[in-house]
Amino acid sequence: MEVTKSTEGFEAIHPNGSLMRKVIHLDHLMMTIFEFHNGPMETPDPPHKHIHEQITYVASGSLKLFVEDREYLLNEGDVYKIESNLNHSIQTLSEYVKLVDSFTPLRENFIS
């Protein structure tokens, strides 16, 4: 299907619905939308890394981004990029945060 409506396709990542994810992809292109409804976080998420390159648009809210030993304050409209295999994490600073991620290669673990 060529169109995914704004209210379609979300899945709960946490049982209480505090983190929702929508995955849209083709054979070689992926976009995910994350909605955090549990902010502000008291502490950052645990750092993680992956082979995928990532570019993220902050569609709503504010957060701290941690990349290796660097820290950034981000707000709605900001964009960040993560190179392959860099440790990174976020900490939401507002009640609601919406992120639009692009990954290459596809995050197969996100595709159901």
Side-chain angles (χ1 to χ4, degrees):
M1 175 165 302
E2 290 82 17
V3 175
T4 302
K5 301 299 274 183
S6 64
T7 57
E8 297 174 342
F10 278 100
E11 63 176 323
I13 303 301
H14 291 287
N16 66 3
S18 64
L19 177 57
M20 304 293 289
R21 178 178 67 198
K22 180 189 298 197
V23 178
I24 303 100
H25 69 91
L26 296 166
D27 290 338
H28 305 286
L29 181 63
M30 169 179 267
M31 181 175 72
T32 61
I33 301 170
F34 283 96
E35 291 187 343
F36 296 82
H37 298 269
N38 61 345
M41 295 176 175
E42 291 183 22
T43 59
D45 279 338
H48 68 282
K49 63 182 175 178
H50 40 73
I51 63 163
H52 313 87
E53 292 180 324
Q54 174 181 348
I55 296 176
T56 300
Y57 172 72
V58 181
S60 184
S62 60
L63 62 122
K64 283 185 184 177
L65 169 68
F66 303 90
V67 181
E68 297 290 332
D69 61 349
R70 299 173 299 281
E71 180 179 320
Y72 304 93
L73 177 60
L74 301 170
N75 295 293
E76 183 174 324
D78 292 339
V79 177
Y80 63 87
K81 59 185 180 178
I82 307 293
E83 293 181 32
S84 179
N85 291 312
L86 291 181
N87 280 312
H88 61 283
S89 68
I90 66 163
Q91 180 179 4
T92 61
L93 300 177
S94 55
E95 183 178 330
Y96 174 74
V97 172
K98 184 176 191 175
L99 303 177
V100 180
D101 292 323
S102 297
F103 294 100
T104 188
L106 299 184
R107 298 252 344 221
E108 298 290 340
N109 60 319
F110 284 7
I111 302 171
S112 43

